[in-house]
């Protein structure tokens, strides 16, 4: 009766020899450099694309903000940032957010022209400028809340407006 062969009884076979690494050449170095350049270009393009997406588009004009938030803005008002996308087309309950720079000498006109209460100064920013709030209120068309930062020549107003 024959019994099956055990591993220790088998003849040792040939062991596969490890292949030696190919010798470095200029052609391989250029190919590696080209791949590295392609990878780095792809990473730069990805970072640029993300930055472009986060940057957003051009800011709307003061007239467009005035129309969207249904508040009167004095001449010389600059739009710093605005998100009017939720208020297009205007429907009750829609919101708009805008940060505007009102000239300091026209800030009283802004408050009076929109029937707002006098602003309340709350303190000083880390940069040393005065900050505060415009008490929340409503007009016939909108309800609003605002914070302000007062500098020498402008008052930065951060408005949140809900259409009614």
């Amino acid at each position: 009766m024959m019994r099956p062969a055990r591993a220790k009884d088998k003849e040792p076979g040939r062991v596969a020899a490890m292949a030696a690494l190919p010798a470095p050449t200029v052609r391989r170095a250029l190919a590696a450099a080209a791949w590295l350049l392609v990878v780095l270009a792809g990473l730069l393009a990805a970072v640029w694309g993300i930055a472009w997406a986060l940057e957003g588009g051009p800011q709307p004009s003061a007239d467009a903000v005035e129309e969207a938030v249904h508040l009167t803005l004095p001449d010389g008002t600059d739009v710093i940032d605005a998100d009017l996308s939720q208020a297009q087309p205007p429907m009750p309950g829609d919101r708009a957010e805008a940060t505007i720079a009102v000239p300091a000498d026209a800030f009283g006109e802004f408050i009076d022209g929109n029937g707002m209460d006098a602003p309340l100064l709350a303190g000083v920013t880390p940069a040393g400028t005065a900050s505060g709030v415009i008490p929340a209120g409503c007009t016939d068309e909108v309800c609003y809340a605002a914070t302000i930062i007062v500098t020498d020549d402008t008052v930065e107003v951060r408005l949140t407006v809900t259409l009614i």
Side-chain angles (χ1 to χ4, degrees):
M1 178 182 254
M2 258 182 111
R3 74 183 176 170
R6 295 186 188 155
K8 68 177 184 172
D9 295 336
K10 290 185 179 180
E11 289 183 32
R14 290 196 300 175
V15 177
M18 290 181 64
L21 293 175
T25 63
V26 173
R27 184 177 176 197
R28 286 179 185 249
L30 289 176
W35 276 108
L36 184 60
L37 186 64
V38 168
V39 168
L40 290 176
L43 288 174
L44 285 173
V47 169
W48 176 83
I50 291 170
W52 175 77
L54 294 176
E55 182 180 277
Q59 293 303 322
S61 67
D63 292 334
V65 171
E66 186 174 30
E67 184 178 324
V69 299
H70 299 277
L71 295 174
T72 304
L73 303 179
D75 292 336
T77 299
D78 294 324
V79 176
I80 298 171
D81 188 23
D83 180 8
L84 308 177
S85 60
Q86 295 179 24
Q88 299 297 328
M91 300 284 289
D94 288 347
R95 293 178 50 127
E97 296 176 358
T99 302
I100 56 174
V102 179
D105 56 348
F107 185 66
E109 176 187 334
F110 171 72
I111 295 292
D112 294 339
N114 294 303
M116 296 177 170
D117 292 335
L120 305 171
L121 293 179
V124 178
T125 67
T129 57
S131 65
V133 297
I134 297 174
C138 294
T139 67
D140 293 338
E141 299 174 329
V142 297
C143 288
Y144 57 86
T147 59
I148 61 171
I149 297 175
V150 182
T151 61
D152 292 336
D153 53 349
T154 61
V155 178
E156 183 179 304
V157 181
R158 296 179 183 163
L159 283 167
T160 303
V161 176
T162 304
L163 302 177
I164 51 176

